[in-house]
Amino acid sequence: MKFKIAVVGAGPGGLSASARAAELGVSHVLLEASTEIANTVRRFQKGKLVMSEPAQVPLRSSLSFSPGTQEHVLQTWQRELEERRVNLRTDATVSSISGQQGNFRIALASGDSLTAEFVILAIGLQGNIRKLGVPGDDLPGVQYQLDDPDEYCDETIVVIGGGDAGVENALALAIHNRVILISRQDGFYSCREANFNRLENAVAAGRIETRTSTSAIRIERLPEGDFPISLLVQSEQGLQELECHRIIARIGATPPRQTLERFGVHFPSSDPTSVPLLSEHYESNVRGLYIVGSLAGYPLIKQAMNQGYEVVEFIQGNPIEPADQSLLFQKFSRIPGTASVADGIELLKRSQPLLASLTILQLREFMLESGIRTPRPGELIFRANDYGNSFFSVLHGAVQIRIESRNRDEQASLFSLSSGDFFGEIGLLSGRRRTGTVVAGKGCVLVETPRRTMLNLIESVPAVQRLLDEVSLKRVVINCFGGALGEGDLNHLVHEAKFKRYAVGEVIFNEGDAPDALYMIRRGSVTVSRQVAGKELVAAYVSAGNYIGEMALVSNTPRTATVRAAAPTEAVLLEADRFRAVLAQNPALLSELTGDYLKRVSENASPALRQTGEFVRFLMDQGVGEATDVLLVDNSKCIRCRSCEDACADVHGGTSRLNRDAGRTHGMIHVPASCRHCEHPRCMQDCPPDAIRRSSNGEVFISESCIGCGNCQSNCTYGVIHMAGKSDRRRSGLLNLIFGWNQPLPAGDSQNGEPEKIATKCDMCMGIVGGAACVRACPTGAAFRVSPEQFLKISGN
């Protein structure tokens, strides 16, 4: 038989295409390998709420679709297919497709064949589920699908996967089980916003435990005990063992590449996760063969349904714009000289090498979640030391960047970035303060992409991560060594560089080890210690943006110190021989590093090292290695007047965020219980209303949207967040302090009659002229605030 359109796969995209063809009276056939329609949706967990996202994009389909249970959605589609008399053939597995537009031959596994003028592939990815790829990943109790969460009760279940499937499985299982949800990312960026919000609420209510930046290492059977299996994971806190009843891994699937290549479809790269090359109308390189849905890189049901509908309209010659067209046009119209969405997408693809591996469809999705900025010449984009994690791509014009030198005697580095460049990757990858000040130049047009979107892109498109790593690595090298290295030396140095992560306390290298590489700290911080008289003493603290290990490379001797991660740390390893070769070609840099080496040798031989090392070790033991700002008290000056606590209470509605007596003391330096404003605050991770924020100046503060759930108090390692009754006094600003404007406000009551409580913590008196009240109020200057980089200076005083 011959048809105008043959649709392969009765998932959402295939159903929508077939329904539109039937509605238009077009000769068609819908081929489904299984015995029922929508096999992927049918395999969703029982009772799953199927969401209609993306919400901002309208639905285009001859089938209806709205949020509802899996069962309701399937029943609706089945009824509407019958009403529209869709020509459906189930149990029809396609074994081959040959030919081209106007004359495709489709062979079925049953031996039958048919011909069609056009083919629409909507076969999805369910047949290519990814496994964990670790020892024991096929043991009993390890599964990659969840059909009915009600089958399990009173079990401890580990769910692996930070995408929608993992989050939804965890939410459903948590009703009757203890659930631990694991993501290898440092957050849940891959799931949709609605699922993310549901997860946050579940965590706030204590129904789900989450572990981020955590990867599976090994799965083993347990011969005895309450749990049958054990999962060994690598987390930021080191190796951990999770005993459980079962493991459910939902880590996605890969395209059936070999099958598609047999059909003649081309891919943009050899990367197994890449999606086929498609036009903006979803047509592959094979004329007349279209691909829609998750196979095209669009996993959402509404997206697939829109695509199936639009392809049929396009085949019929009916002019139709994609459903997201008007949304994208609003964004691209801000770019001078851009008359259409096609112009904007072409500009993005042409001017941004970082995005070159993305298909047109992926670029459209990228832009739906990004924004266009057209700043005036001289307008500030961000300042050095600001906190922010948006990622910026330069489409037109240029920006000027100023990076202050670590050496006060040296001038700041000034350079420009123009079309094709990007910036903001250090904040994106490390979460640290901005390292430079960026100002817009003439004709500047920027794409600003949220961190969540960019991290999801990096996760799903390895080519983007590779290029981002390559460029950011060169910038780290330049940041450490200035402009002394040319492009050739840079390329040689970073070639085959390795990235490695370390948990808190993990040894990076030991004193006495042979020098293997130069270590550049991209995220986190480390301590450098030496053995002196049989005792390990800390000699230095090194934060992200710096390097370690150069002494042994310059002197060609064994390591003279032990380096440990003071916080979760990521380092870039530059191979030793390559580094030495570059030094040999750059005498000035070699001389500078040799001078630094001799200076450090002298410092390490100093009798003061013992006192300095013990003090820094004490501070590291207090966890201040992951801090950005720490309150310290010099007991030799402190007169115990408690002016610091009183001043803190006065500017925070009567509740002090400082406990002078709590905390530990080394010598005359005391570390009171006060917020450290951590580089990667744990208190932020499980805040349902997103009430904990970081200001542009670095203060971690709790906004008025706090609901008093107490998650931050539980997550804080240092016990510096407390639940207190809502303030019955207005916060005292400068004028309030001068004029005594502390009028009572009505106190809120909870439903049980108890005073309603919210989280309180130090916010460094954010927004108050003069800074931290505790420091300003100290009559003897005993209280002072420092960053970790200043610890060694303090210890020498």
Side-chain angles (χ1 to χ4, degrees):
M1 296 183 65
K2 185 170 184 178
F3 302 92
K4 182 168 186 179
I5 299 176
V7 182
V8 182
L15 293 174
S16 183
S18 302
R20 187 55 178 165
E23 195 170 55
L24 295 175
V26 177
S27 171
H28 70 282
V29 63
L30 173 57
L31 304 171
E32 168 57 40
S34 67
T35 57
E36 297 178 291
I37 66 166
N39 188 47
T40 299
V41 177
R42 197 172 298 279
R43 295 191 68 186
F44 286 170
Q45 64 199 40
K46 183 180 177 182
K48 166 183 161 55
L49 177 66
V50 182
M51 291 178 287
S52 177
E53 293 193 11
Q56 73 272 28
V57 176
L59 175 68
R60 285 178 172 168
S61 179
S62 298
L63 298 179
S64 58
F65 176 56
S66 59
T69 64
Q70 168 218 44
E71 293 81 2
H72 173 73
V73 170
L74 289 172
Q75 289 170 4
T76 300
W77 285 347
Q78 185 70 55
R79 185 185 72 252
E80 293 179 344
L81 289 176
E82 293 171 359
E83 291 173 351
R84 286 158 181 74
R85 298 185 179 181
V86 169
N87 183 21
L88 170 66
R89 289 184 61 178
T90 58
D91 201 16
T93 301
V94 173
S95 58
S96 69
I97 299 175
S98 58
Q100 58 183 348
Q101 181 174 318
N103 189 30
F104 283 105
R105 184 178 181 276
I106 303 170
L108 304 181
S110 63
D112 293 342
S113 66
L114 53 91
T115 59
E117 296 179 40
F118 300 91
V119 173
I120 301 175
L121 284 180
I123 58 178
L125 303 176
Q126 279 299 307
N128 298 270
I129 293 176
R130 288 195 188 104
K131 288 196 171 184
L132 286 169
V134 299
D137 67 354
D138 56 353
L139 286 173
V142 180
Q143 59 194 69
Y144 298 88
Q145 180 68 36
L146 175 65
D147 295 325
D148 186 356
D150 292 336
E151 291 180 7
Y152 310 106
C153 188
D154 298 327
E155 290 189 353
T156 294
I157 302 174
V158 176
V159 178
I160 302 176
D164 287 306
V167 171
E168 289 168 355
N169 283 183
L171 288 167
L173 289 164
I175 297 173
H176 301 298
N177 304 275
R178 178 198 174 202
V179 175
I180 303 170
L181 177 62
I182 289 177
S183 172
R184 66 178 179 180
Q185 298 176 320
D186 63 358
F188 293 91
Y189 310 117
S190 302
C191 65
R192 286 168 281 180
E193 196 69 26
N195 274 335
F196 179 77
N197 293 334
R198 292 174 65 211
L199 174 63
E200 290 286 82
N201 291 334
V203 171
R207 297 195 301 272
I208 292 179
E209 303 170 41
T210 57
R211 307 285 180 89
T212 56
S213 300
T214 301
S215 301
I217 301 298
R218 184 175 64 251
I219 302 170
E220 296 178 341
R221 294 286 298 174
L222 296 177
E224 57 185 22
D226 296 332
F227 301 99
I229 55 178
S230 168
L231 171 65
L232 183 69
V233 298
Q234 176 71 56
S235 73
E236 291 188 329
Q237 282 68 50
L239 289 173
Q240 296 180 329
E241 185 178 11
L242 302 177
E243 296 182 346
C244 58
H245 292 94
R246 71 183 65 253
I247 297 168
I248 300 176
R250 303 307 306 272
I251 53 178
T254 56
R257 184 172 184 133
Q258 292 183 342
T259 298
L260 293 179
E261 287 178 335
R262 286 202 308 270
F263 297 165
V265 175
H266 292 171
F267 286 75
S269 71
S270 59
D271 195 309
T273 63
S274 63
V275 296
L277 282 170
L278 301 176
S279 74
E280 61 181 330
H281 297 294
Y282 316 108
E283 188 174 19
S284 71
N285 59 286
V286 180
R287 283 198 61 203
L289 192 153
Y290 298 81
I291 300 177
V292 299
S294 55
L295 195 58
Y298 278 67
L300 302 183
I301 291 175
K302 184 191 287 186
Q303 292 171 327
M305 294 180 74
N306 283 347
Q307 292 164 7
Y309 179 95
E310 291 165 8
V311 167
V312 172
E313 290 289 327
F314 181 71
I315 288 173
Q316 288 297 101
N318 300 328
I320 184 170
E321 293 181 334
D324 58 13
Q325 189 79 359
S326 61
L327 296 171
L328 291 176
F329 182 74
Q330 291 175 16
K331 296 187 177 188
F332 284 124
S333 62
R334 301 190 61 190
I335 304 175
T338 303
S340 66
V341 173
D343 288 346
I345 293 294
E346 177 58 29
L347 172 64
L348 195 65
K349 196 170 184 67
R350 185 179 66 249
S351 65
Q352 279 299 315
L354 182 67
L355 306 176
S357 62
L358 272 61
T359 66
I360 292 176
L361 304 181
Q362 288 173 319
L363 287 170
R364 295 181 75 100
E365 179 114 1
F366 174 81
M367 282 307 304
L368 278 177
E369 299 180 12
S370 300
I372 298 288
R373 290 182 59 175
T374 54
R376 301 181 305 274
E379 183 176 333
L380 181 71
I381 307 301
F382 56 71
R383 294 183 186 278
N385 295 318
D386 282 355
Y387 272 97
N389 47 31
S390 292
F391 181 84
F392 294 88
S393 308
V394 184
L395 289 187
H396 270 316
V399 295
Q400 283 73 49
I401 299 180
R402 177 186 177 93
I403 297 180
E404 300 295 335
S405 172
R406 292 186 178 85
N407 187 339
R408 294 183 179 180
D409 297 330
E410 296 180 4
Q411 292 185 340
S413 299
L414 299 173
F415 59 95
S416 295
L417 295 178
S418 56
S419 176
D421 289 320
F422 57 80
F423 59 95
E425 78 283 353
I426 293 179
L428 173 78
L429 297 171
S430 72
R432 293 182 66 86
R433 296 176 185 265
R434 302 292 195 186
T435 57
T437 297
V438 182
V439 176
K442 185 178 180 180
C444 181
V445 177
L446 305 174
V447 176
E448 182 175 4
T449 305
R451 183 173 193 257
R452 182 181 168 88
T453 299
M454 199 65 201
L455 290 176
N456 190 25
L457 179 63
I458 290 171
E459 178 76 12
S460 58
V461 186
V464 173
Q465 169 135 36
R466 284 194 294 269
L467 184 55
L468 186 66
D469 283 344
E470 179 183 335
V471 174
S472 63
L473 175 54
K474 289 182 181 179
R475 290 179 180 175
V476 171
V477 174
I478 293 171
N479 195 36
C480 289
F481 299 135
L485 300 178
E487 187 67 20
D489 288 333
L490 274 175
N491 290 334
H492 180 75
L493 190 58
V494 304
H495 184 66
E496 295 184 355
K498 299 177 182 177
F499 294 85
K500 192 169 181 181
R501 291 182 177 179
Y502 302 89
V504 177
E506 187 174 353
V507 173
I508 295 175
F509 56 75
N510 281 301
E511 186 173 350
D513 286 351
D516 59 334
L518 181 75
Y519 291 73
M520 313 199 72
I521 310 301
R522 190 163 78 160
R523 177 177 182 258
S525 56
V526 301
T527 57
V528 182
S529 59
R530 295 181 60 232
Q531 288 288 330
V532 177
K535 189 172 184 180
E536 186 174 344
L537 301 176
V538 177
Y541 168 92
V542 183
S543 60
N546 296 286
Y547 56 88
I548 52 174
E550 81 288 356
M551 293 179 66
L553 292 176
V554 169
S555 63
N556 200 25
T557 59
R559 300 290 190 192
T560 58
T562 295
V563 175
R564 282 188 175 85
T569 297
E570 181 179 288
V572 181
L573 282 64
L574 304 182
E575 197 267 334
D577 289 341
R578 288 181 179 276
F579 184 67
R580 292 192 184 103
V582 169
L583 287 182
Q585 299 296 319
N586 293 270
L589 178 58
L590 176 60
S591 177
E592 179 183 340
L593 291 179
T594 302
D596 289 343
Y597 163 67
L598 294 175
K599 180 180 178 181
R600 291 192 187 183
V601 169
S602 175
E603 290 173 346
N604 289 342
S606 169
L609 174 62
R610 178 183 295 274
Q611 180 179 354
T612 299
E614 290 178 349
F615 175 68
V616 177
R617 169 60 66 191
F618 161 72
L619 291 175
M620 293 301 109
D621 289 343
Q622 305 313 302
V624 296
E626 54 185 324
T628 62
D629 184 279
V630 183
L631 176 66
L632 301 178
V633 176
D634 186 344
N635 280 343
S636 67
K637 299 178 181 179
C638 180
I639 58 175
R640 308 322 193 258
C641 65
R642 298 195 179 280
S643 294
C644 53
E645 290 184 356
D646 292 342
C648 181
D650 194 39
V651 298
H652 292 104
T655 302
S656 176
R657 284 91 188 278
L658 163 66
N659 187 333
R660 161 64 183 82
D661 293 335
R664 296 183 61 188
T665 302
H666 179 87
M668 300 307 292
I669 299 297
H670 178 65
V671 185
S674 178
C675 180
R676 283 116 159 101
H677 302 272
C678 295
E679 184 175 306
H680 297 280
R682 294 184 179 92
C683 58
M684 282 186 180
Q685 293 179 1
D686 298 326
C687 180
D690 196 23
I692 304 181
R693 307 287 184 86
R694 191 191 288 279
S695 76
S696 60
N697 292 320
E699 303 99 338
V700 176
F701 66 96
I702 302 175
S703 72
E704 295 180 355
S705 62
C706 174
I707 60 175
C709 68
N711 284 2
C712 55
Q713 182 183 32
S714 301
N715 289 338
C716 176
T717 309
Y718 309 112
V720 298
I721 299 180
H722 303 284
M723 308 306 294
K726 280 193 172 181
S727 174
D728 60 357
R729 292 164 54 186
R730 288 191 179 95
R731 172 174 168 156
S732 304
L734 182 61
L735 292 178
N736 294 17
L737 290 172
I738 294 173
F739 295 106
W741 294 344
N742 283 322
Q743 300 300 321
L745 292 176
D749 290 330
S750 64
Q751 294 180 354
N752 61 11
E754 295 293 326
E756 188 175 353
K757 293 187 177 183
I758 58 174
T760 61
K761 62 175 287 296
C762 164
D763 60 3
M764 289 199 289
C765 295
M766 182 180 65
I768 294 180
V769 177
C774 56
V775 174
R776 290 186 289 116
C778 181
T780 63
F784 58 102
R785 306 196 75 100
V786 296
S787 67
E789 289 82 357
Q790 297 171 296
F791 292 160
L792 291 178
K793 295 179 182 178
I794 298 167
S795 64
N797 294 334

